[in-house]
Amino acid sequence: MSEVSWQEIDGILKRSHQAFLSYQKVTGKDKASFLEAIAKEIENIGDSLIRTAMEETNLPEARLAGERGRTCNQLRQFAALVMDGSWVEARIDTAIPDRAPLPKPDLRKMMVPLGPVVVFGASNFPFAYSTAGVDTASALAAGCPVVLKAHPAHPRTSDLVADAIVKAAGRTGMPADVFIHVHAAGFETGKALVQHPLTKAVGFTGSFSGGKALYDYATQRPDPIPVFSEMGSINPVFILPGSMQARSEKVAEMYAASITQSVGQFCTNPGLLLSMENNHLDEFKRQLADKMKKVAPATMLHPGIAGNYLKNRQHALAQKGVTLLAESTDMPGQNQAMATLATVKAADFISNPALAEEVFGPYSLLVTASNITELKAAAEKIPGQLTTTIIGEEEELIKYADFIHLVTAKAGRVIINGVPTGVEVCPSMHHGGPFPATTDSRFTSVGTDAIKRFVRPVSFQNFPQALLPVELRNENAYGIWRLLNNSWTRDKVS
Ligand code: NAP
């Protein structure tokens, strides 16, 4: 695999732009048929898709089958969304020609697609964040063609899914080149895809260095474009003393499983646990350590990620004040990761930003503070996150309400008494967070609101009915919202 030349990229984006000229006008109903057809074609591939992904990613069958189900479910959720049509947020203010002192014009507003979107497939989700993953599904739902850069760690899996998309496009009469699949190794191709003048937005999931680099390429353009990078997160978990007293064993069990699930290769992996000194802390440490030791080393997604885990784990363990509490008892094989639990005093954590960096894999650091003031100081040092969790008994949650408010400012999703792994795909999910978790905390990359990343609002003033987008015409009931008696109602315009 090698870089793709500038001439080839220019040709790809020109074809994608050409597709945009007609795809932006495709009705919600027809886009819904297309998205449904993609899901069906992916399911039609059958077991060979799972087998290929298993060979390329080392992920187990059950995990991959579940992820394929999630991916098809996402596609169908976007199909239902565009079928309904209200997602375009149509607003209609009809003219009042005799208003004094000035007449009011006819004004109508709705969301329109941005244009070709470049999506980078992720290594850790070969289906749900890759070729037909949420970035692709939401861009296609919005009316944007997609140029997909396959992740080099699972090229054959990506080919199978790309074929399914192209087949679905042909079967449902979508424009040629509504989806273009690109294989390349090397950063120059990614850079050129982001910087091509016809690219209008970018979706990415992966490392901080990769996501930030793409964001920087986009801002260096003469016409900067939005880049939605979902990057590293250590997903801090604050364990309040009452819960250690009441159910330390249960919390330890839940967290040993969450830290090591899928060899820790989740963006929502709990890489940081924080607590205050209390009579039950030592018991909790012992219980968690025992459970982590029992987790067998497992093979990571690809040798690069395994190498990074070893390097980053060593770097974290070498920091001042950090002590290794537990690691998998069994010896790791090639490209395997050992489950690891380390601990450090809050004072050392507060003075060393390196301890708040992601160690991507089955690793977690337990930070112990002497009191709530020190715990707050540690929380202040944690940068933006996808999630944060508070484990506590009902009464202490109320007692620490101010603290919970403080940590809420740091994350896109705040969890009480649960684990951050296991992201529910539904409209109320927000999967995004303040920088450096993502490059734009206002948007989600899970759930139907992900479509909002690839659209922009346009106001149409005094347009004749025939020139208006169908969603804004008087005869259409759906998507027409008016503010009546201080509440939004949906009705027909007469
Ligand atoms: P990655 O290095 O971020 O790469 C993802 C994609 O972005 C690849 O297609 C890569 O191109 C491209 N890319 C990366 N840097 C680029 C740059 N400077 N310019 C242009 N394109 C660039 O992610 P990865 O390969 O999946 O894993 C590497 C490390 O990322 C892991 O060890 C882990 O630490 C971290 N990671 C974190 C998460 C998370 O959810 N937090 C998820 C996955 C990975 P190439 O194909 O040419 O390399």
Side-chain angles (χ1 to χ4, degrees), residues 3 120-124 149-153 184-191 204-211 213-214 217 230-233 265-268 301-302 304-306 308-309 312 358-360 386:
E3 297 278 10
F120 288 76
S123 60
N124 58 339
K149 182 182 176 292
H151 196 286
F187 293 169
E188 284 311 307
T189 302
K191 182 176 181 184
F204 168 92
T205 302
S207 65
F208 174 78
S209 60
L214 301 187
Y217 303 149
E230 191 218 299
M231 306 176 288
S233 201
Q265 299 164 118
F266 282 140
C267 47
T268 49
L301 288 160
H302 62 76
I305 288 197
N308 280 344
Y309 178 66
N312 296 334
E358 183 182 45
V359 178
F360 191 69
L386 291 173

Side-chain angles (χ1 to χ4, degrees), residues 109-277:
K109 181 169 83 166
M110 65 174 270
M111 296 294 180
V112 301
L114 290 179
V117 173
V118 169
V119 173
F120 288 76
S123 60
N124 58 339
F125 279 89
F127 302 136
Y129 287 91
S130 285
T131 320
V134 65
D135 291 345
T136 297
S138 54
L140 292 176
C144 301
V146 168
V147 175
L148 186 286
K149 182 182 176 292
H151 196 286
H154 46 77
R156 287 184 294 122
T157 305
S158 199
D159 275 339
L160 289 172
V161 177
D163 287 350
I165 301 175
V166 172
K167 233 187 242 175
R171 194 149 68 70
T172 54
M174 293 299 123
D177 300 321
V178 68
F179 175 87
I180 300 176
H181 194 217
V182 179
H183 285 292
F187 293 169
E188 284 311 307
T189 302
K191 182 176 181 184
L193 286 168
V194 173
Q195 293 200 323
H196 193 283
L198 292 172
T199 300
K200 295 301 171 208
V202 177
F204 168 92
T205 302
S207 65
F208 174 78
S209 60
K212 179 67 167 53
L214 301 187
Y215 179 82
D216 291 343
Y217 303 149
T219 54
Q220 286 155 11
R221 291 170 50 127
D223 58 338
I225 54 168
V227 172
F228 302 100
S229 289
E230 191 218 299
M231 306 176 288
S233 201
I234 50 171
N235 304 293
V237 178
F238 297 91
I239 308 171
L240 299 177
S243 59
M244 280 201 185
Q245 180 179 1
R247 52 195 165 105
S248 64
E249 178 90 42
K250 212 166 157 225
V251 174
E253 192 172 337
M254 191 161 82
Y255 270 88
S258 180
I259 294 163
T260 57
Q261 198 184 347
S262 277
V263 206
Q265 299 164 118
F266 282 140
C267 47
T268 49
N269 198 54
L272 195 62
L273 311 175
L274 303 100
S275 193
M276 287 177 264
E277 297 286 353

Side-chain angles (χ1 to χ4, degrees), residues 334-412:
Q334 200 180 13
N335 298 325
Q336 288 196 329
M338 276 188 285
T340 306
L341 177 69
T343 189
V344 72
K345 295 263 184 225
D348 288 319
F349 177 80
I350 290 165
S351 62
N352 185 357
L355 290 175
E357 283 169 14
E358 183 182 45
V359 178
F360 191 69
Y363 172 92
S364 200
L365 178 67
L366 174 65
V367 177
T368 58
S370 45
N371 51 40
I372 185 69
T373 310
E374 204 180 31
L375 190 67
K376 273 185 185 161
E380 294 280 12
K381 291 287 174 187
I382 301 171
Q385 298 293 323
L386 291 173
T387 75
T388 192
T389 303
I390 299 101
I391 306 282
E393 301 306 286
E394 206 168 324
E395 276 171 21
E396 65 181 346
L397 289 172
I398 306 295
K399 178 176 163 199
Y400 291 111
D402 282 353
F403 176 73
I404 294 172
H405 184 70
L406 179 135
V407 299
T408 300
K410 298 271 182 180

Side-chain angles (χ1 to χ4, degrees), residues 367-491:
V367 177
T368 58
S370 45
N371 51 40
I372 185 69
T373 310
E374 204 180 31
L375 190 67
K376 273 185 185 161
E380 294 280 12
K381 291 287 174 187
I382 301 171
Q385 298 293 323
L386 291 173
T387 75
T388 192
T389 303
I390 299 101
I391 306 282
E393 301 306 286
E394 206 168 324
E395 276 171 21
E396 65 181 346
L397 289 172
I398 306 295
K399 178 176 163 199
Y400 291 111
D402 282 353
F403 176 73
I404 294 172
H405 184 70
L406 179 135
V407 299
T408 300
K410 298 271 182 180
R413 178 163 59 108
V414 184
I415 301 147
I416 301 282
N417 287 330
V419 290
T421 43
V423 177
E424 187 67 36
V425 180
C426 62
S428 50
M429 173 54 69
H430 186 77
H431 189 69
F435 187 85
T438 71
T439 46
D440 196 334
S441 64
R442 294 169 299 170
F443 297 92
T444 179
S445 60
V446 173
T448 44
D449 278 350
I451 199 171
K452 293 182 179 171
R453 298 172 300 168
F454 304 124
V455 292
R456 67 189 177 91
V458 173
S459 287
F460 300 86
Q461 187 166 335
N462 287 341
F463 264 54
Q465 285 288 310
L467 284 188
L468 279 168
V470 286
E471 291 90 339
L472 294 179
R473 292 184 196 163
N474 289 353
E475 75 268 16
N476 285 319
Y478 72 80
I480 292 178
W481 295 83
R482 296 173 193 248
L483 192 58
L484 283 179
N485 301 326
N486 287 331
S487 69
W488 286 102
T489 55
R490 223 165 145 190
D491 62 2

